[in-house]
Each structure stands twice: as structure tokens, then as C-alpha cells.
Amino acid sequence: VAVVAIAVIVGYFGFQWYQNTQDAEGEKKLYKAVYAFESDSLAAASKDLAKVSDEFGGNAQNLADLYLGISLLKQGKFDNAIEKLKNFTSGDLLVQARAYSLIGDAYAEKKSFGEAIDYYQKAAEYKPNKFFTPTYLLKLALAFEANKQGKEALDAYSQITDKFPESAESVPAKKYKALLESSISE
């Protein structure tokens, strides 16, 4: 029993050590890829990010999936971008909602407005705040309009003007809401 207990303890700490060294190595490789991403070398960044995503796990893979998804989205590779962005998870106030919004953007580019609506709603509902939620609601409203859902678009515009009247998005929301109301009443 003592030998088994020692083996379990040694195995646990050995695994922790291995995982930490893998994260450190992955983060070093991720640094180079993020530098290429920030330099707008999307092809080089995509290649390096894909390697990190495939070779490592944990935080390095998670961040690589986010950056790779954004890079693929910028390159117009929407299906691949959606796949990578769906792999990303975060408890962060801003980043997870942003990932949802980017997935919505990819679906909107593909003219799959029903799916875009789902992800814009997730973005708007994920830890709402006065800085980013109005942006997600505006995207949601525009997706509703593109999907011929006028009533739902009006509701989204109203949420912006009622809950976030001081946001920059409030001005276009009022304009689009008035245009939509006039077209519905005709």
C-alpha cells in the first residue's frame, strides 16, 4: 500500500512538472507567433499558431486557438476560424465575449445569420458591461435585420438606447431603429 501511495504521489508531481515545462515551452513558441500576428504577417502567424495549437495543451493551446481563429477570420477562412474560436474558452470578462462575437462575425460573413445571431446573443449576454455589450447588441440587431427578423432587431436596438444611452452605439441604434420602424409601418 505504501509503495502504491508513493507511486501515485511521484506520478502526480511528475505530471505537474511535465505539464509546467510544456506550458513554458508552448508559451515561448506562442510569443513568436503572436509577434507575427501583431505585425500583420497573417500567413506566418497562422502557420506558427497552428503548430502551437497542435503540439501543446493548456493555456498555450487555448491562446493559440484564439489568435489562430482571429488570423483565419482576417484571411477569409471562416469555417476554420469558427472551429478554432469555438475551441477557445476563458472566464475573462472581455475575451470570451469577444470570441463569441468573432464567431458571429464569421457566420455573418458566410451569410449564416441564424448562427451569427446565436453567437452575438451569447456575446451580449456574457457578463454584460457598458463598454462592449452595446457593440454586440448592435451586431445582433444588424444580424436580425439581415435575417428578416424586424421585431427582434427593434428589440435589440431598444436595448442599446434604453440600457446604454451614453454609448457610441446609441446614435446608430436610434437611426437604424427609426429607419426600421418607418419601413415596417409602410
Side-chain angles (χ1 to χ4, degrees), residues 18 26 42 44 50-51 54 63 76 107 132 178:
Y18 173 76
L42 297 179
K51 280 184 181 179
D54 292 341
L63 289 173
Y107 278 122
F132 297 99

Side-chain angles (χ1 to χ4, degrees), residues 79-96:
D79 290 325
N80 294 339
I82 291 167
E83 177 187 336
K84 288 299 175 181
L85 290 167
K86 282 183 177 181
N87 289 341
F88 175 78
T89 58
S90 174
D92 185 78
L93 170 69
L94 306 176
V95 182
Q96 184 63 58

Side-chain angles (χ1 to χ4, degrees), residues 92-95 97-98 101 120 123-139 160 164 167 169:
D92 185 78
L93 170 69
L94 306 176
V95 182
R98 180 73 177 135
S101 177
Y120 289 144
E125 293 169 359
Y126 187 82
K127 299 181 182 180
N129 62 78
K130 66 181 181 179
F131 301 106
F132 297 99
T133 302
T135 301
Y136 305 142
L137 287 170
L138 187 59
K139 288 181 175 190
I160 298 168
F164 307 100
S167 69
E169 291 79 7

Side-chain angles (χ1 to χ4, degrees), residues 14-150:
F15 178 74
Q16 291 299 320
W17 175 81
Y18 173 76
Q19 195 171 21
N20 289 338
T21 58
Q22 287 295 301
D23 276 348
E25 186 180 339
E27 287 175 11
K28 285 179 188 174
K29 289 188 178 187
L30 185 61
Y31 177 79
K32 176 185 171 198
V34 171
Y35 182 78
F37 174 86
E38 290 176 352
S39 301
D40 279 338
S41 300
L42 297 179
S46 294
K47 181 180 173 187
D48 291 342
L49 290 165
K51 280 184 181 179
V52 173
S53 179
D54 292 341
E55 292 176 13
F56 298 96
N59 194 43
Q61 179 186 25
N62 198 35
L63 289 173
D65 284 341
L66 175 65
Y67 280 105
L68 182 55
I70 294 168
S71 179
L72 293 167
L73 181 62
K74 287 182 176 184
Q75 294 176 62
K77 299 175 181 176
F78 305 121
D79 290 325
N80 294 339
I82 291 167
E83 177 187 336
K84 288 299 175 181
L85 290 167
K86 282 183 177 181
N87 289 341
F88 175 78
T89 58
S90 174
D92 185 78
L93 170 69
L94 306 176
V95 182
Q96 184 63 58
R98 180 73 177 135
Y100 289 146
S101 177
L102 290 167
I103 295 169
D105 292 347
Y107 278 122
E109 289 291 335
K110 291 176 49 167
K111 308 281 188 248
S112 298
F113 297 111
E115 288 87 354
I117 288 167
D118 292 341
Y119 280 94
Y120 289 144
Q121 282 178 323
K122 283 184 178 185
E125 293 169 359
Y126 187 82
K127 299 181 182 180
N129 62 78
K130 66 181 181 179
F131 301 106
F132 297 99
T133 302
T135 301
Y136 305 142
L137 287 170
L138 187 59
K139 288 181 175 190
L140 175 62
L142 294 170
F144 275 133
E145 278 197 67
N147 207 37
K148 309 285 189 247
Q149 294 176 266

